[in-house]
Amino acid sequence: MKIAGVEVGERPLVLAPMEDVTNPPFRKFCKAFGADWLYSEFVSADALVRSVNKSLKKLTIDDSERPVTIQIYGRFVDSMVEAARIVEEVQPDFIDLNFGCPVKRVAQKGAGAGLLRDVPLMVEMARQVVNAVKLPVTAKTRLGWDSEHIIIEDIAERLQDVGIRALAIHGRTRAQMYTGEADWEPIARVKSNPRITIPIIGNGDVTSPERAAEAFDKYGVDAVMIGRAAIGRPWIFRQIKHYFATGELLPDLSVREQIEIIKEQIRLSVEWIDEVRGLLHMRRHMAAMFKGLPHFRDLRIRMLQAPNLEELWQVFDEIAARYGDMRET
């Protein structure tokens, strides 16, 4: 499948943008395990315009990641336009507009999912960004603000009409945050709308190869976006690809194999930031691992509280010695 001439693969699997998660070290592993299309962390437009170093660092991409998207968010049209121009200078394959982030500090200020309460502003923002840059512009949003306002079909048409080249839809409302189950029926209605010609990317609760296959086969989406299920398990992309190719389920990696992967990811994270912040950043990934191991609580606590690499490596050695070739499934 191509979007604006950019090849993104057949039945593409997309790494969702996640704050403090989808940095270059993590993207590297997802790509290695089969992710077809990568998104950056979302980046504040206002911070880019003000040249905040932390936000500028998020614009770092490597050719090995392509196709890769940098996603920006903001509540003011002018700053979003200027931020898009800044992003264009580093030449990602796509610029994505975040119209779906539900967290209070973003949505309540009118950015992210907050724009679901002001669709004319959302559409005008998209129109002006599209007109300001040469790179293809995509967008990611939700079904609506709450269950009483499921407006995604109207939004999809209006964004397409102003030049958005692909639309990712999370099957929840802003009010749901990340609770309850994602509803894919509205996503399917968007995809089956004869007026919609742009690719539709489905997102929400894709946690297994079977769910990924259902997204394509039952709901008809053009691509599937995977977010939280990849945290601590970047190999989920390989498992899904294997299932698509063979109809068979690959088992999870052994504990020893998982340790080798997470150690390399930690090394890259420390190299990317520094030891203290790199370890803090990786705690979310480590917390998602080894959930099925018996009598693991004490080792889990020590793993998550390790203050430096030396102590963490010691904990990993103990985990490997105790659980070795065990698999969680």
Side-chain angles (χ1 to χ4, degrees), residues 258-324:
Q258 291 186 45
I259 288 173
E260 290 308 306
I261 291 168
I262 196 67
K263 285 176 72 174
E264 181 60 22
Q265 194 177 333
I266 290 167
R267 290 188 190 100
L268 290 175
S269 180
V270 167
E271 182 181 308
W272 175 248
I273 318 174
D274 56 49
E275 184 167 0
V276 173
R277 290 181 298 162
L279 284 178
L280 287 173
H281 172 85
M282 288 303 302
R283 284 180 181 175
R284 183 174 181 182
H285 298 264
M286 290 187 286
M289 301 175 67
F290 310 134
K291 289 186 175 180
L293 298 182
H295 313 296
F296 188 66
R297 184 175 182 273
D298 290 345
L299 280 171
R300 177 182 297 280
I301 291 172
R302 288 176 55 203
M303 176 179 69
L304 296 178
Q305 293 181 348
N308 54 55
L309 287 177
E310 182 179 0
E311 291 191 29
L312 181 57
W313 280 189
Q314 290 175 0
V315 176
F316 280 145
D317 287 344
E318 291 183 45
I319 295 171
R322 183 180 301 183
Y323 298 100

